[in-house]
Amino acid sequence: MVKPPLLIGIVGWKNSGKTTLVERIIPALVRQGFKVATVKHTHHDLRPCDGTTDGERHARAGAFKTIVVAPNAWEVSGNRQVDTSPGLADLPSYLAAADIIVVEGFKSAPIAKIELRRQASPTQEHLAARDPHVIAVAADHATDANGLPLFDLDDSEGIADFIAALAK
């Protein structure tokens, strides 16, 4: 029986460093032998590929396939899809070859998540306090993780090792 891919969310408030962390953990996971795909949720319209979109950043980091879901459209590895955006639960079928699917955004999804906290964030509400799916916290400052594993936000290798252990 084939093991389904691990879905792991990277969540946090706006400008908490989600895309930057995803860019850093992808190559660390790939070096460990994992085939990594990403799913990104955005509240904005899809932009044309110009080398700077989050999906392109994920691909450059080593994701073999990327999906970006916007309010009225979605794309797979930069190719806009003509059908209606699937729900998060349906996306793994597009990424079945993955060992790990890193999900950026989708704060309220019922999947395991790592919450990012940044001292400079205007929103200081802790997601872990109300979301039982948050399994770890990464922060750039001292914070109460309520007994969950706590990582420095810059410890991308440690966070990747934590994810790798979940995928094994």
Side-chain angles (χ1 to χ4, degrees), residues 88 106-113 131 133:
L88 181 61
F106 290 98
K107 269 197 288 283
S108 60
I111 62 170
K113 294 173 238 174
D131 185 346
H133 298 288

Side-chain angles (χ1 to χ4, degrees), residues 4-121:
L6 169 74
L7 269 80
I8 184 73
I10 304 297
V11 298
W13 299 106
K14 184 177 171 88
N15 297 322
S16 60
K18 297 180 295 292
T19 301
T20 300
L21 180 62
V22 170
E23 282 180 299
R24 291 178 177 164
I25 62 174
I26 292 169
L29 291 167
V30 169
R31 281 193 301 275
Q32 292 187 46
F34 292 102
K35 195 167 184 181
V36 180
T38 63
V39 174
K40 159 81 179 186
H41 179 259
T42 181
H43 296 287
H44 308 288
D45 291 333
L46 293 178
R47 295 183 333 189
C49 293
D50 63 1
T52 65
T53 68
D54 288 352
E56 291 170 299
R57 290 171 65 184
H58 292 179
R60 269 196 311 279
F64 80 95
K65 191 179 276 189
T66 63
I67 292 178
V68 179
V69 179
N72 299 310
W74 70 295
E75 66 182 26
V76 177
S77 297
N79 298 307
R80 190 175 285 242
Q81 304 300 298
V82 295
D83 53 341
T84 306
S85 299
L88 181 61
D90 300 317
L91 292 175
S93 66
Y94 293 90
L95 304 168
D99 300 311
I100 299 172
I101 301 171
V102 178
V103 179
E104 181 183 338
F106 290 98
K107 269 197 288 283
S108 60
I111 62 170
K113 294 173 238 174
I114 299 172
E115 176 187 350
L116 307 191
R117 298 179 186 167
R118 189 172 291 283
Q119 182 74 39
S121 174

